[in-house]
Amino acid sequence: PPAPGAPPGGGPAGRGPVGRGAPVAARGRASAEPAGLAGAAASPGAAADAAGATGPGPAEAAVPAAGLDVETALTLLTSPLGGMDAADLRRLGRALREEERAAGRGVPRPSDVLLAEALAEPERLVAHDPAYARGAQRLGLLLGKARELLAGGGTAEQALWELWDGTPWPQRLERAAHRGGAAGRNADRDLDAVCALFETAARAEERVGGRGALNFLEEIDAQDIAADTLSRRLVRPDAVRLMTAHRSKGLEWRLVVVAGVQEGLWPDLRRRGSLLEADRIGRDGLAEPLPAGALLAEERRLFYVAATRAQERLVVTAVKAAAEDGDQPSRFLAELGVEPVDVTQRPRRPLSVAALVAELRATTVDPAAPDALRDAAARRLARLAALRDEDGQPLVPSAHPYRWWGLYEPTHSEVPLRDRDRPVALSGSALDQLVNTCSLQWFLGREVKADTPATAAQGFGNVVHVLADEVASGRTPADLAVLMERLDSVWEALAFDAPWKSRQEKEQARAALERFLRWHVMERGGRTPVATEHEFDVTLEADAYLVRIRGSMDRVEADGDGRAYVVDFKTGKQSVTRDAVAHHPQLAVYQLAVREGAVDGLFADGRPEPGGAELVQLRQGAARKEGGDTAPKVQAQEPLQGEWVGELLATAAGRVLDERFSPSAGDHCNRCSFRGACSARAEGRHVVE
């Protein structure tokens, strides 16, 4: 609802362009709902009562009939305090009109007038169905209590609490805040705004003047709420005024810019009204829709209104695409009597403050620029940096050199990331990130722990891994029906964005379990299971570094020659290429750990030799010649050859100890949480440039 005293058609203050579309500012929940709370306290009856109770003179002479105007009443009924929707208002209004007919009035008054009266006299609503009258009755009683409280000398803060505590609104916000997500964030913002409203009411009581609630109402009325397009604002002579053509009627400026005059927007010949064309219903039946000619004439009149707001200069802009089916200027441009000018090159001047500052900054440090030009750019930056608003805050803070991050020296932590005297702890997946993917992503995600929380996809993988372990260990039979029953018992605990996504992922889980069972019972070259989910912790030497490798092997098997074979189950949607498997870091680390004694206790003959490793892609089906879609895609790595794994470990350990975390772009950027702050990406390059 609008702030108290705001004109229904008021707009943003200032001077400047007229646009075809909707206003830029839009009403937001954080300001609109608390405004409804204040609006209830600031309703005409309540305001009058407050004036009578706390102002000079007899209270009885200042208090008029406790009625509400129609607009205020409807606003309060549909606010969070009333909680009524359009259907409830129609049903209650229809019932009140029937009540008047039953009382002998042949032509009942309009329903909105009756709703306003009923809100001022809620006892009349007792006889009506609570299904649609409960909200109005409750709100009317609350307004009456607040009115009595103010008339008895109560404060604005007490009246607000009476209104807030007497509705289900606090409970609704509390439930939404506990649920989290987007609705929870909105609820948190609304609660913050309500708290700010109560603080404003408390401050109003502390002000000198002895006028009680009127201090609070005046302070709310003077608020300049950015998200409220209807609140009253002071007109600044040096500001730009942005509005639609409709709202520019009756106003004039020296310079007017009508932007975006495209065919299809000027004129907009689409049919007006709703889908069911309720706007055509009149007293005499259905009215004929406006023909295309009438719509064109109406649009031409609107364009005339926009163009004639200029006293001295009018600028009309449009976009002209090279292709005929692209954006084209409006036909109205040809009716202005001036030949349009095509501007095909880049604008001669920056079109925003940020672009202007960027150009001036680049000029000041450009060695090829003349000294006079560099000096002029520095002086212009100094002028921009010195600009202040009414509160003394800088208008262009980026113009001052202390905001130029590129001039700062790189910072260093006094406390090292890892102790050089102790082994560097790494995992197979960390090794892959540090060396082959992006070391900065590893640092921010693993060390800083700034990565996003676990997703439903990770929960999917955890569930499938647990069920695979239970089958391999014999705790659960290798039966798909049994596994699906176990899956159903925990599936609802996974958080998915929508029910259809949950169903889709469950089908994927079923297919993954079916592929696992197929792989589990198939002949795998004479290999036999030895252990599942086997944890290991070994320390290796890599050049001048000691590297501690920790992790868990999904399955360890013994081949026909007594060698250890490591299997890693994957539930992701992406798989590595055939060439990349041969040097896959995680599989190589598993084999290296086997060579260094990670599975010694599992084999009777002592330390086995590594016999290879493989990735089993449970989300992806195998090729037709390897079993088809019902079998998993298997990617095998041969037994280790050469010292390339040790070189990878040394490179990774060196980067960690030297704290060299440089970003590198690639496909992994699409799944990275830090794109907005990464200098390797265009959207994050502003961090260092």
Side-chain angles (χ1 to χ4, degrees), residues 1-4 33-44 46 68 72 75-76 81 143 160 163 197 216-217 220:
E33 294 183 340
L37 189 61
S43 61
L68 300 174
T72 303
T75 299
L76 291 175
L81 296 177
L143 291 176
L160 282 178
L163 295 168
L197 187 66
F216 168 65
L217 299 181
I220 290 296

Side-chain angles (χ1 to χ4, degrees), residues 103-384:
R105 188 160 188 162
V107 181
R109 288 172 294 168
S111 58
D112 51 359
V113 176
L114 297 177
L115 287 170
E117 288 186 359
L119 192 58
E121 303 173 12
E123 59 275 2
R124 293 174 48 189
L125 301 175
V126 176
H128 293 276
D129 188 353
Y132 56 82
R134 182 187 297 110
Q137 184 182 10
R138 180 180 60 238
L139 179 59
L141 293 174
L142 282 176
L143 291 176
K145 291 180 181 179
R147 189 178 296 114
E148 293 173 3
L149 190 150
L150 290 172
T155 65
E157 189 177 11
Q158 292 171 335
L160 282 178
W161 179 259
E162 192 75 38
L163 295 168
W164 167 256
D165 192 46
T167 71
W169 187 20
Q171 290 74 26
R172 291 201 304 269
L173 290 180
E174 183 180 10
R175 289 193 299 269
H178 287 164
R179 282 196 299 268
R185 290 191 294 271
N186 289 336
D188 291 337
R189 189 166 62 246
D190 295 343
L191 288 169
D192 291 341
V194 171
C195 291
L197 187 66
F198 274 99
E199 291 176 2
T200 304
R203 287 197 306 269
E205 293 301 321
E206 298 172 0
R207 289 173 54 189
V208 181
R211 293 190 298 161
L214 284 182
N215 288 335
F216 168 65
L217 299 181
E218 288 180 359
E219 187 168 350
I220 290 296
D221 191 25
Q223 292 291 331
D224 186 9
I225 303 174
D228 187 357
T229 60
L230 300 182
S231 61
R232 184 165 57 210
R233 292 180 173 88
L234 297 176
V235 176
R236 291 175 51 189
D238 57 345
V240 173
R241 193 164 184 180
L242 184 66
M243 63 179 60
T244 62
H246 291 90
R247 297 178 66 179
S248 69
K249 293 179 180 179
L251 304 175
E252 286 185 330
W253 300 269
R254 290 188 302 105
L255 168 65
V256 170
V257 177
V258 186
V261 184
Q262 307 293 141
E263 189 68 25
L265 295 177
W266 293 90
D268 182 1
L269 301 180
R270 294 172 297 180
R271 290 281 303 278
R272 308 295 194 264
S274 61
L275 176 64
L276 301 180
E277 301 185 6
D279 55 304
R280 292 178 53 197
I281 302 176
R283 292 181 176 273
D284 302 325
L286 292 178
E288 290 297 325
L290 286 176
L295 285 175
L296 179 60
E298 181 180 336
E299 289 288 289
R300 182 175 282 107
R301 286 192 295 270
L302 185 61
F303 182 71
Y304 175 81
V305 168
T308 54
R309 300 307 92 198
Q311 296 173 331
E312 299 177 8
R313 187 182 180 203
L314 171 68
V315 178
V316 181
T317 67
V319 175
K320 183 179 181 181
E324 294 183 358
D325 57 348
D327 290 332
Q328 297 297 327
S330 168
R331 67 189 77 174
F332 292 161
L333 264 66
E335 301 176 7
L336 290 174
V338 178
E339 186 68 23
V341 178
D342 288 342
V343 180
T344 56
Q345 69 276 10
R346 185 177 182 271
R348 185 171 58 90
R349 293 180 178 178
L351 301 181
S352 66
V353 174
L356 173 62
V357 171
E359 184 172 311
L360 292 173
R361 285 171 54 175
T363 303
T364 58
V365 297
D366 184 5
D371 292 341
L373 180 61
R374 296 173 62 180
D375 182 69
R379 292 179 181 276
R380 180 63 60 87
L381 282 171
R383 288 173 53 190
L384 292 174

Side-chain angles (χ1 to χ4, degrees), residues 24-25 105 370 417 465 537 550 558 670 689:
V24 169
R105 188 160 188 162
L417 182 65
H465 274 79
D537 188 340
R550 294 178 294 179
N670 298 327
E689 294 184 0

Side-chain angles (χ1 to χ4, degrees), residues 584-615:
H584 191 272
Q586 190 170 6
L587 293 182
V589 164
Y590 288 155
Q591 294 202 63
L592 189 59
V594 169
R595 181 185 294 174
E596 298 298 326
V599 297
D600 285 0
L602 304 178
F603 288 77
D605 297 334
R607 180 169 300 179
E609 284 295 320
E614 68 182 25
L615 300 173

